[in-house]
């Protein structure tokens, strides 16, 4: 079949909302865009394990430790689904990891901020996992089959993360003065970086238009950010803590909250690798990879041995 008919068939599937599967023909740019987006997402899952792993041993009770441990394990699982989905596009996992370690591939800017107190575990679950859900629920309808299917399970687990985070915040806010202060301090530090998670403003987002046309993205960055602000404000009110934005107020006409200007200079600076923890995060991933070399070698040797045995039988 000539390229024109292949393209027509692909576009027809996109228009009819029929999923694209690994063996289907796809434009090279569609493949590249998906590899970039899915790998970025996979990297964010495994880098996202780091700030929270920091608190597993210091969580205030056995129940909190168990929940933190389970959550960090979930994130490892999300990374696994997403690396697997990405591999169906014809790229090796080793290559993806090399790109993370060399700084060529990006991951979510949010994980370059430090987790200073226990309340940060609450704020991260509530806001960061909350923002992730906002971003990811529409991806369950993404046009690429393996990505969309991976997202279904990821989203179920994210919604549990969000609720356990909110519950930590609620417990702190109903506790002593000091605990409530900790919750407020965590909100102060995590609010703006959470808004940045939705990416640059639509006018500065280079990939949005094409990705929307391909059904890889269903809403723009600004639309999702607005949705997030709209659901978070009443939640902050319920907690009795204040979102650190003096311009945040209900706009009757728009039917949405207005909010203040994001510090984009900070955002682009963190993306470029100059956030408070960028170096620490990438170093931790590199060390984990190097220290795990013997496991990969042992697994490969075991698989080879097993294959030989089967051949002999
Ligand atoms: Fe996750
Ligand atoms: Fe999560």
């Amino acid at each position: 079949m000539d390229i024109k008919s292949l393209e027509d068939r692909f576009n027809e599937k996109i228009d009819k909302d029929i999923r694209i599967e690994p063996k289907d023909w796809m434009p090279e740019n569609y493949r590249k865009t998906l590899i970039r987006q899915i790998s970025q997402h996979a990297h964010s899952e495994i880098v996202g394990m780091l700030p929270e792993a920091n608190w597993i041993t210091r969580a205030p009770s056995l129940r909190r430790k168990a929940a933190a441990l389970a959550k960090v394990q979930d994130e490892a699982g999300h990374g696994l689904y997403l690396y697997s989905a990405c591999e169906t596009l014809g790229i090796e996992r080793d290559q993806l990891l090399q790109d993370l370690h060399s700084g060529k591939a990006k991951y979510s800017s949010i994980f370059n901020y430090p987790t200073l107190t226990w309340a940060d575990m609450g704020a991260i679950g509530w806001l960061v996992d909350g923002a992730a859900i906002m971003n990811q629920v529409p991806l369950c309808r993404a046009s690429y089959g393996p990505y969309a299917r991976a997202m279904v399970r990821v989203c179920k687990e994210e919604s549990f993360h969000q609720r356990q985070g909110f519950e930590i915040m609620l417990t702190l806010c109903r506790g002593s003065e000091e605990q409530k202060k900790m919750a407020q301090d965590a909100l102060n530090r995590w609010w703006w970086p959470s808004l940045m998670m939705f990416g640059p403003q639509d006018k500065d987002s280079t990939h949005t238009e094409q990705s929307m046309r391909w059904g890889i993205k269903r809403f723009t960055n600004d639309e999702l950010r607005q949705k997030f602000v709209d659901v978070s404000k009443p939640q902050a009110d319920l907690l009795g803590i204040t979102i650190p934005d003096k311009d945040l107020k209900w706009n009757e006409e728009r039917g949405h909250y207005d909010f203040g200007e994001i510090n984009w200079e900070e955002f682009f600076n963190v993306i470029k690798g100059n956030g408070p923890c960028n170096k620490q995060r990438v170093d931790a991933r590199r060390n984990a990879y190097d220290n795990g070399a013997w496991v990969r070698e042992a697994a490969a040797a075991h698989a080879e041995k097993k294959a030989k045995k089967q051949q002999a039988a």
Side-chain angles (χ1 to χ4, degrees), residues 227-244:
K227 250 183 167 177
F228 178 74
V229 172
D230 290 347
V231 302
S232 300
K233 169 70 170 100
Q235 292 172 344
D237 290 345
L238 199 140
L239 291 170
I241 47 181
T242 313
I243 291 176

Side-chain angles (χ1 to χ4, degrees), residues 168-177 179-180 183 238-239:
I168 292 174
M169 292 301 271
L170 197 60
T171 307
L172 291 172
C173 289
R174 286 177 178 169
S176 65
E177 246 342 279
Q179 284 173 310
K180 193 166 177 183
L238 199 140
L239 291 170

Side-chain angles (χ1 to χ4, degrees), residues 45 52 71 74-75 78 111 124-125 128-130 132-133 136 154 157-162:
E45 300 288 352
E52 290 187 285
K71 186 188 169 186
D74 284 352
E75 305 300 4
H78 299 172
F111 301 118
I124 288 181
V128 176
D129 291 275
I133 296 171
Q136 292 169 10
V154 168
E157 293 178 350
E158 292 304 352
S159 96
F160 178 78
H161 298 169
Q162 197 269 349

Side-chain angles (χ1 to χ4, degrees), residues 66-82:
L69 193 59
K71 186 188 169 186
V72 171
Q73 277 178 339
D74 284 352
E75 305 300 4
H78 299 172
L80 190 63
Y81 311 149
L82 290 165

